[in-house]
Every structure is written in structure tokens, then in C-alpha cells.
Amino acid sequence: MQTFKYFEKEGSTYHLKVQKGFFYTMAAIIFAIMVLNLIYASTKGAAVFAVFLAVIGVLSILRSTTEISFDMVDRKIHYKAFFFSAPITYSFDDFDHFLVSKLKSLFITLGVSGILVMQKNRKTKNIFLRQCFFSAKPLQKLNDELYIIMGLPD
């Protein structure tokens, strides 16, 4: 039996492990900036900026409730963006490619995102899988595991 670093197996279904620590840390940092902004700022724009930060922080917490599963028997991908959103089902045949997007500044990789690109009903749909900082190697390993799970050629 093969074990994966980024997926948990439940029967014939593989569930992507969500980066809860990453999203909770980002939310805590955003809320801390919001509180500091409210304490030390003296303009009316500070309150608007604090509301903006609060919305971003709540979205970060909601993002930790994402569910992505790969059903091997039905060859389907079940994706749910937030706990209150409706699940969307894609076929393995809708898969177009895996995208690794890097943000570089002065030859330093600052952020890397892994996205699953799907073509459904002649529309491109992007499924955010994972994000990391400074290196794309974890996303390459995630990509390799996805190719094994989905049975795609190398």
C-alpha cells in the first residue's frame, strides 16, 4: 500500500490535507494588524481599513474549511470551497493541467501556489490546492502524488 504525504485515503477516496495551520496563522497575523491599526491610527480611513482586514481574516479562516477529494472508483473530483458552499463535482476527464505559480522578487521566490486547472463545459475552472513560501518543491511532490492518484502518465 502506498502512502502519501498530502493525501489521506478513506476507502477508494483520497482527501487532500488542508493547510489549516497556514490559514489560521495568516488570520491571526491579519487580526493582529487590524487591532494595532485600530489602537494606533487616528484617521477615519483606519476604521475602513480595519473592516477590510477583518473581512480578509474571516475569509482566511473560512478557507481552512475547504474539502477536496478524489474518488478513484467514479473517477470524480469533489470540491467544496467553504463549509457552507455547494460541492462541485468534476470528472478526471475534465482535468487540463496542474499549474504552479511563483511570485519572485529580486531572484527570491516569495510565494508559490498550486492550482488544478479544469476544463468543464468549455470554461476554465481553477481549484486552489496548496500554497507555500520560498520553494516550489513541496508543490512538485503534491503534483507527483496527484499524477499517481489520478492515473495520469508522467
Side-chain angles (χ1 to χ4, degrees), residues 7-116:
F7 293 92
E8 295 173 341
K9 185 175 182 181
E10 183 181 302
S12 65
T13 304
Y14 289 91
H15 300 281
L16 180 67
K17 296 177 187 175
V18 179
Q19 294 177 290
K20 291 186 187 287
F22 173 78
F23 291 119
Y24 292 156
T25 303
M26 294 304 292
I29 291 169
I30 289 169
F31 286 133
I33 293 170
M34 180 189 74
V35 168
L36 292 173
N37 179 49
L38 287 174
I39 292 172
Y40 294 109
S42 60
T43 63
K44 291 182 181 180
V48 174
F49 184 63
V51 169
F52 174 73
L53 288 175
V55 169
I56 298 295
V58 168
L59 287 176
S60 181
I61 291 171
L62 287 176
R63 188 69 183 146
S64 69
T65 63
T66 299
E67 296 176 9
I68 302 172
S69 60
F70 297 82
D71 189 351
M72 302 301 296
V73 174
D74 295 335
R75 296 187 44 81
K76 301 274 185 200
I77 300 169
H78 303 286
Y79 172 65
K80 191 172 179 181
F82 300 110
F83 73 92
F84 57 82
S85 66
I88 301 170
T89 302
Y90 297 100
S91 172
F92 281 11
D93 298 330
D94 295 336
F95 173 75
D96 191 42
H97 63 278
F98 186 78
L99 176 67
V100 176
S101 175
K102 292 183 184 181
L103 173 64
K104 285 189 168 190
S105 178
L106 297 174
F107 306 107
I108 298 172
T109 302
L110 299 176
V112 185
S113 299
I115 299 168
L116 194 62

